[in-house]
């Protein structure tokens, strides 16, 4: 494993931790522990108060993630600038992390509107997916990855699972940001009904989150069944792992209701969602060989045509 690959892996773990820490910030109502940005209560050294320290720790980890991404981009420029498959996604990654920092500041300065919180979460998921792509491309350049010869059923179900998981997490982020987490009392029923008949927007959005979770579960079952029919050990490993993470995630989601959104449960809910997203992103990158979509080497510059000797211009 090269140093560049180790740097990408480290950045991936830091970004996953950053998203989970963001969930802790939201679960503990610490989003405005630092009401200004980029300073905290007008200073770069925060007060020793619970909510301030939780929010400030999130900012510190975000700074570390930003420095790691900057390091990846600089390294890519020095070692891979003739390899668009690595260099271009690295530039995209840097642009996304800068935009993400701006969104974080906008969320604080506007007192955490759920719309910006959702975009912030979606950007974090995209950043992790791009990082996974860069890492796979680097590994494939060093030692070509084995092709996963599978049928369209596996590819379709894996891509569908990735798309549903993305939307599910965004809706979940909105449920948390808008404080709709307890709009449906009880689980699996919502306010004593299979399909709630009243309650307004909070109940409808919360119920949509549950429906999407059910749809994701069905999609994962279809993916696992397709992987079983393909008899591929790698596919079964990822599909089975995703199904197991989803099962734990569903129980944690129920525990959110049973414990009335206990801080630890809410943070674990986001952590397992992030783990599921990472597994599905890795699986789709492998299945669709996204690391081979961009050219491996920059096109050589065309030589200027020189007039033949003795021939007038």
């Amino acid at each position: 494993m090269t140093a560049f690959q180790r740097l990408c892996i480290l950045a991936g773990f830091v970004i996953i931790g950053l998203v989970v820490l963001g969930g802790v910030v939201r679960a503990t109502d610490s989003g405005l522990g630092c009401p200004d940005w980029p300073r905290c209560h007008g200073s770069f050294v925060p007060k020793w108060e619970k909510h301030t320290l939780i929010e400030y720790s999130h900012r510190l980890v975000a700074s570390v993630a930003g420095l790691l991404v900057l390091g990846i981009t600089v390294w890519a420029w020095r070692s891979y600038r003739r390899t668009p498959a690595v260099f271009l996604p690295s530039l995209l990654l840097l642009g996304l992390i800068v935009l993400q920092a701006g969104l974080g500041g906008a969320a604080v300065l506007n007192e955490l509107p759920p719309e910006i919180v959702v975009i912030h979460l979606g950007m974090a998921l995209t950043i992790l997916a791009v990082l996974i792509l860069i890492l796979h491309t680097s590994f494939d350049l060093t030692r070509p990855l084995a092709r996963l010869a599978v049928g369209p059923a596996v590819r379709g179900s894996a891509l569908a699972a990735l798309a549903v998981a993305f939307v599910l997490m965004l809706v979940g982020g909105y449920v948390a940001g808008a404080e709709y987490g307890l709009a449906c009392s009880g689980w699996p029923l919502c306010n004593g009904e299979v399909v709630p008949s009243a309650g307004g927007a909070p109940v409808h959005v919360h119920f949509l989150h549950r429906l999407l979770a059910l749809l994701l579960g069905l999609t994962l079952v279809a993916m696992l069944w397709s992987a079983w029919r393909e008899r591929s050990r790698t596919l079964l490993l990822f599909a089975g792992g995703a199904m197991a993470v989803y099962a734990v995630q569903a129980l944690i989601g129920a525990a959110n209701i049973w414990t009335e959104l206990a801080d630890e449960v809410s943070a674990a809910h986001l952590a397992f969602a992030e783990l599921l997203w990472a597994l599905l992103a890795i699986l789709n990158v492998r299945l669709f060989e996204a690391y081979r979509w961009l050219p491996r080497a920059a096109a050589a510059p065309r030589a200027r045509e020189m007039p033949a000797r003795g021939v007038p211009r």
Side-chain angles (χ1 to χ4, degrees):
M1 185 182 297
T2 67
F4 179 76
Q5 292 163 353
R6 293 191 187 96
L7 180 60
C8 289
I9 292 173
L10 176 60
F13 279 111
V14 170
I15 289 172
I16 291 174
L18 178 61
V19 175
V20 174
L21 187 53
V24 174
V25 170
R26 186 170 62 235
T28 57
D29 292 325
S30 301
L32 295 178
C34 290
D36 47 347
W37 189 88
R39 297 188 178 187
C40 183
H41 292 286
S43 173
F44 287 107
V45 180
K47 299 178 181 180
W48 288 86
E49 297 176 353
K50 174 186 174 181
H51 295 299
T52 298
L53 291 176
I54 292 175
E55 166 61 15
Y56 197 72
S57 65
H58 181 252
R59 295 190 183 187
L60 286 179
V61 176
S63 299
V64 173
L67 290 175
L68 290 173
V69 168
L70 178 61
I72 289 172
T73 307
V74 172
W75 201 314
W77 179 80
R78 294 185 61 184
S79 302
Y80 295 99
R81 62 178 178 270
R82 285 286 184 183
T83 309
V86 175
F87 184 52
L88 293 182
S90 298
L91 287 180
L92 174 61
L93 186 66
L94 181 61
L96 290 174
I97 207 74
V98 170
L99 182 57
Q100 178 75 329
L103 284 170
V108 171
L109 296 177
N110 289 279
E111 299 186 355
L112 307 177
E115 296 80 8
I116 296 182
V117 171
V118 168
I119 297 174
H120 194 58
L121 175 60
M123 190 70 68
L125 299 177
T126 304
I127 288 170
L128 182 59
V130 173
L131 187 57
I132 288 171
L133 172 61
I134 294 171
L135 183 61
H136 274 78
T137 305
S138 175
F139 274 118
D140 191 58
L141 288 170
T142 305
R143 183 178 179 181
L145 299 173
R147 294 178 179 271
L148 298 179
V150 297
V154 175
R155 296 177 189 271
S157 57
L159 185 60
L162 184 71
V164 175
F166 186 78
V167 177
L168 173 63
M169 291 187 70
L170 294 188
V171 174
Y174 189 88
V175 168
E179 299 183 353
Y180 294 167
L182 296 176
C184 281
S185 62
W187 190 93
L189 299 180
C190 178
N191 300 330
E193 299 177 296
V194 176
V195 178
S197 57
V203 172
H204 295 156
V205 175
H206 185 117
F207 188 67
L208 173 62
H209 181 61
R210 294 191 180 189
L211 285 179
L212 287 170
L214 175 61
L215 177 60
L216 177 60
L218 296 175
T219 307
L220 289 175
V221 169
M223 183 177 73
L224 183 59
W225 172 250
S226 299
W228 174 259
R229 294 184 63 184
E230 294 283 349
R231 295 294 193 273
S232 169
R233 185 173 301 177
T234 302
L235 283 177
L236 283 173
L237 179 64
F238 276 99
M243 194 70 236
V245 172
Y246 171 82
V248 176
Q249 173 73 341
L251 290 176
I252 296 175
N256 260 328
I257 305 299
W258 299 334
T259 63
E260 297 186 353
L261 304 178
D263 296 349
E264 301 82 359
V265 178
S266 296
H269 193 54
L270 183 57
F272 274 86
E274 186 76 4
L275 177 58
L276 179 58
W277 169 257
L279 285 173
L280 291 175
I282 293 171
L283 179 59
N284 276 273
V285 167
R286 289 295 307 275
L287 284 176
F288 291 94
E289 297 185 347
Y291 45 86
R292 291 174 180 159
W293 289 356
L294 292 174
R296 301 304 183 90
R302 296 179 61 183
R304 296 180 60 185
E305 294 184 4
M306 301 296 293
R309 187 172 298 178
V311 176
R313 293 178 182 270

